[in-house]
Amino acid sequence: MLEIKNLHVAVGGKEILKGLTLSIGEGEVHAIMGPNGSGKSTLSYVLAGREGYEITQGSISYRGGDLATMKTEDRAAKGVFLAMQYPVEIPGVTTLTFLKTALNAQRRARGDSELDAMSVLKLVRQRATALQVTEEMLKRALNVGFSGGEKKRLEILQMSLFEPKLAILDETDSGLDIDALKLVAEGVNALRAPERAMLVITHYQRLLNYIVPDRVHVLAGGRIVAEGGKELAHELEAKGYAHIVKEPA
Amino acid sequence: MNAALPSRDARRAEALESFRERGMPHRRFEHWRYSDLRAILDAGQVAQSGTAAWHLEKAPEGVETFDLGKPDAPDWVMRNLGTIGARPTMKEASLAFADGGIALRVPRGRKIAEPARLQISSTGNVRVLLVLEEETSLTLLETHTGDAGLLRNVGVEIALASQAKLSHVRFAASALKSISVEHIGVTQARGAQYRAHFANFGSRLSRTELHILLQEEDAEAHLSGVNVLGDEGHADLTSHIEHVAGNTRSTQLFKKVAGGHSRAVYQGKITVREGANGSDSRQTAKALLLGGRAEADLKPELIIFADDVKCAHGAAVGDLDPESLFYLRSRGVPEAEARHMLVRAFLEDAVAEIENEELRAAIWQDVEHALPHAMRAAR
């Protein structure tokens, strides 16, 4: 479903990804691990279509189409979802209004009929309970005054509502205590499905105890430098990145 | 009639003299820096523009009215007309050249639920006088409709007695060929509240100026407003709030969206007079510039002569936040819709200051109507 070949990406003229190759099939959960500055967030942004991330070489094929030429909003409508490390606070837009607008925008783009306010509310309530997203949170301005855990839960609630084909989770564990982490991980695991691929980006192995990946890739210096099964994550935790990330000759 | 009070003719003659002496406001005059009226209008044109047409949609029950064009004004008019707040030159002109206008009085103790709806709809000068006696309340909707001809010059005076509460919503439709000038003078006695919202969608030159005197303890003024400007639209809101007595409060929250070649201006001066301890004032003005050809000039100013006061002010000019825009788009919201959402969100807290739900909804409608012009790329 996702084929990244020899991907080079520059931000502000500086090359961050330097020939990344990665392939994810339907229903698979892949983890990308790597030290700070290795290009993990750049990869997540370039997949989601953030401006300022310039592909200088290589290709990204998503479900048979060229992802790189698609607009940000079209990627979302076609099933790409990025759970962000730092979800943005938007005063003046209530959370529920935002969810309704986004959900209906995606439905419209796919040629589905829009849902009315009551149907959206019903759907949101049904999905929100398991993630402990309260009615009160839904009435507040988007992410404004939310704790770190509340923000991450709201990201996973969106994932649950939008039902993406490819979910990218960027440092979803950052800033969470163990209880919050478990809650978020359970939310993610509930969304594992044969037709849904996930790319879990994380610095630490901790999250992967709860969201167990099929494959682990180690990103360093803008390239995948090691790959393996879930045991690779444990090895990294025990020995550190320096053990695997060899300085370029 | 009180024999000690000068006649209306005498007052108008005095105002005419004052206007002739001082002349038209210009760039280096009475804070008219960002609205050079003299460059596009001369004193003769002000005089020739005559009296503006106004219409009061059925006065709410309990409100007394008087047509200022009629003879034999009652005492409550004579005691107040031409005496409230500062008398800048264009306000003198409105008194000198307007052969009419409207005066409203809410007698002591009356709380009026139904809004009074005043429409001003043509070119010319006009005067408005509001007298709210002790322990009264009123909502005034002041609507300026489309074509103001060459010049509309409005002089408003508001006297709020102790515990009087006025909610004032002023709506000015876009009128890109017109010049619109309004001065609002307000005096507030103990515990009086003035809440005012100014929604202005731009004129060739639009100047709304306020002078508010918080004369006794516990008087409060809460000003808010929005501009949505496009094309060559201009909107200048200049306020001067004087904390004359202690324990008085004022807040200001203005949000301005400027696109095209438009210009949004906010100048807010706060004076805390000597001895007005315990005064609390806050002012915030923010502008969102859509495109590189619009301009915003935001100038908060504080002059404090008392010791124990709380004064906060802030002003910021910016563009739509790219992070927020990316966030919304990454959720599938198309770019144009996402921009629109963020502009609305920017205006939200200022519109929320309007207490009357029906008027708030009406202002949102007008904002929606004006947004496409503001968001259209400047040519």
Side-chain angles (χ1 to χ4, degrees):
Chain A
M1 97 149 23
L2 182 72
E3 290 277 348
I4 304 175
K5 281 185 188 152
N6 189 32
L7 185 67
H8 292 250
V9 173
V11 183
K14 186 170 182 265
E15 190 169 61
I16 307 288
L17 296 184
K18 303 167 181 172
L20 183 145
T21 296
L22 181 69
S23 170
I24 305 178
E26 279 184 12
E28 295 175 3
V29 175
H30 289 228
I32 298 252
M33 298 186 70
N36 291 331
S38 57
K40 299 193 300 290
S41 283
T42 298
L43 176 62
S44 71
Y45 284 143
V46 84
L47 290 175
R50 186 172 176 152
E51 276 175 23
Y53 289 73
E54 193 198 349
I55 298 175
T56 53
Q57 210 183 318
S59 65
I60 310 171
S61 156
Y62 168 68
R63 303 179 79 210
D66 180 6
L67 192 72
T69 58
M70 285 162 62
K71 280 200 262 180
T72 307
E73 49 268 39
D74 295 343
R75 298 181 196 200
K78 290 199 155 70
V80 176
F81 177 80
L82 169 62
M84 293 195 197
Q85 183 177 6
Y86 303 110
V88 182
E89 298 186 5
I90 307 185
V93 176
T94 62
T95 302
L96 189 61
T97 304
F98 158 73
L99 294 174
K100 176 171 180 272
T101 306
L103 191 61
N104 277 333
Q106 292 192 22
R107 291 181 66 90
R108 210 163 51 229
R110 290 194 288 261
D112 296 336
S113 65
E114 293 189 28
L115 298 177
D116 61 33
M118 272 317 293
S119 311
V120 172
L121 185 61
K122 215 174 129 189
L123 184 66
V124 170
R125 275 183 180 150
Q126 179 206 328
R127 306 283 166 95
T129 316
L131 288 159
Q132 295 179 17
V133 172
T134 60
E135 293 273 324
E136 188 265 334
M137 281 169 69
L138 296 172
K139 282 181 192 149
R140 270 162 33 197
L142 182 59
N143 286 320
V144 177
F146 283 29
S147 70
E150 286 174 332
K151 284 180 183 171
K152 296 297 167 78
R153 267 143 57 199
L154 188 66
E155 292 292 290
I156 305 307
L157 173 61
Q158 292 175 53
M159 181 171 152
S160 163
L161 286 171
F162 303 154
E163 300 179 342
K165 299 275 190 291
L166 172 67
I168 305 146
L169 289 84
D170 188 7
E171 306 274 1
T172 294
D173 51 331
S174 71
L176 297 187
D177 63 29
I178 196 69
D179 291 332
L181 178 70
K182 278 184 184 167
L183 186 63
V184 165
E186 276 165 26
V188 172
N189 285 329
L191 295 168
R192 287 179 87 141
E195 70 284 358
R196 179 171 298 134
M198 292 191 195
L199 185 59
V200 181
I201 294 172
T202 180
H203 185 102
Y204 301 103
Q205 176 262 341
R206 186 177 75 149
L207 178 67
L208 304 180
N209 288 336
Y210 300 96
I211 304 172
V212 180
D214 301 307
R215 295 286 293 166
V216 174
H217 312 264
V218 180
L219 180 63
R223 267 190 222 104
I224 303 292
V225 295
E227 288 176 300
K230 62 185 179 214
E231 65 288 345
L232 181 57
H234 294 282
E235 195 185 328
L236 275 174
E237 188 73 0
K239 297 180 180 170
Y241 284 110
H243 170 72
I244 287 180
V245 182
K246 310 267 189 320
E247 287 302 313
Chain B
M1 171 133 356
N2 191 331
L5 294 170
S7 70
R8 264 191 288 170
D9 285 348
R11 279 177 219 195
R12 291 182 63 187
E14 190 195 324
L16 180 62
E17 186 63 22
S18 163
F19 173 65
R20 287 218 168 117
E21 251 171 46
R22 289 188 279 167
M24 297 297 289
H26 55 84
R27 298 195 50 188
R28 288 177 300 282
F29 182 92
E30 288 185 0
H31 293 91
W32 284 74
R33 179 172 173 171
Y34 303 106
S35 309
D36 192 348
L37 190 60
R38 194 176 64 183
I40 54 173
L41 197 73
D42 64 43
Q45 289 171 302
V46 178
Q48 280 158 21
S49 62
T51 305
W54 55 270
H55 172 69
L56 182 70
E57 217 177 276
K58 171 173 95 57
E61 182 157 344
V63 175
E64 189 181 329
T65 64
F66 177 76
D67 181 341
L68 292 170
K70 301 234 163 90
D72 301 325
D75 258 13
W76 62 270
V77 170
M78 293 309 293
R79 274 197 308 272
N80 292 293
L81 189 70
T83 70
I84 296 169
R87 293 162 69 173
T89 161
M90 289 303 287
K91 191 162 201 179
E92 297 286 48
S94 71
L95 184 59
F97 302 125
D99 282 325
I102 172 79
L104 295 168
R105 169 176 175 249
V106 183
R108 185 182 184 125
R110 297 302 293 262
K111 317 261 189 209
I112 312 292
E114 191 196 337
R117 294 163 195 272
L118 175 66
Q119 253 187 52
I120 301 175
S121 57
S122 78
T123 191
N125 300 279
V126 73
R127 296 290 292 199
V128 177
L129 172 65
L130 267 82
V131 177
L132 271 69
E133 296 183 357
E134 291 80 2
E135 300 187 1
T136 53
S137 69
L138 179 72
T139 297
L140 172 73
L141 173 63
E142 175 190 348
T143 305
H144 291 258
T145 47
D147 187 8
L150 178 65
L151 169 72
R152 182 178 296 159
N153 181 30
V154 186
V156 180
E157 292 176 287
I158 298 171
L160 303 179
S162 149
Q163 307 299 335
K165 186 182 175 195
L166 176 67
S167 291
H168 181 189
V169 176
R170 182 185 190 272
F171 162 75
S174 173
L176 295 179
K177 288 181 178 151
S178 304
I179 298 167
S180 167
V181 177
E182 176 157 332
H183 186 280
I184 302 167
V186 186
T187 53
Q188 297 184 236
R190 179 178 299 271
Q193 278 189 42
Y194 179 59
R195 289 187 77 89
H197 185 89
F198 302 88
N200 192 321
F201 299 95
S203 297
R204 180 177 169 203
L205 185 153
S206 168
R207 161 85 161 195
T208 309
E209 185 173 344
L210 289 126
H211 181 218
I212 297 172
L213 290 154
L214 302 172
Q215 288 173 317
E216 294 178 7
E217 290 213 339
D218 293 318
E220 293 182 18
H222 301 287
L223 311 182
S224 61
V226 292
N227 294 142
V228 179
L229 310 175
D231 304 314
E232 308 280 337
H234 171 278
D236 170 344
L237 188 132
T238 296
S239 65
H240 183 197
I241 300 180
E242 294 199 60
H243 291 257
V244 179
N247 296 319
T248 46
R249 288 169 290 279
S250 68
T251 61
Q252 298 182 68
L253 177 60
F254 289 96
K255 293 286 184 77
K256 294 159 182 289
V257 174
H261 293 76
S262 68
R263 184 173 206 176
V265 180
Y266 167 78
Q267 304 180 97
K269 182 156 100 178
I270 301 274
T271 305
V272 182
R273 290 213 198 148
E274 201 175 330
N277 294 325
S279 295
D280 189 341
S281 92
R282 274 170 286 161
Q283 50 182 157
T284 302
K286 288 185 180 170
L288 194 56
L289 296 183
L290 305 174
R293 288 167 182 273
E295 181 175 331
D297 304 287
L298 310 176
K299 266 181 53 185
E301 187 185 352
L302 279 171
I303 301 171
I304 303 173
F305 298 105
D307 300 324
D308 174 26
V309 298
K310 276 193 257 176
C311 293
H313 64 86
V317 180
D319 197 351
L320 284 180
D321 175 33
E323 298 248 353
S324 303
L325 197 56
F326 170 64
Y327 190 83
L328 293 177
R329 292 181 67 194
S330 78
R331 270 54 184 153
V333 183
E335 184 176 359
E337 195 179 345
R339 284 182 180 278
H340 184 265
M341 257 179 112
L342 292 174
V343 174
R344 263 190 78 110
F346 169 77
L347 296 170
E348 169 70 34
D349 55 354
V351 177
E353 288 283 306
I354 303 170
E355 283 178 326
N356 182 301
E357 200 180 329
E358 178 207 335
L359 298 184
R360 200 167 58 233
I363 295 294
W364 272 126
Q365 260 191 8
D366 299 319
V367 166
E368 283 299 332
H369 182 74
L371 273 179
H373 299 280
M375 297 183 76
R376 195 166 56 200
R379 272 166 298 178

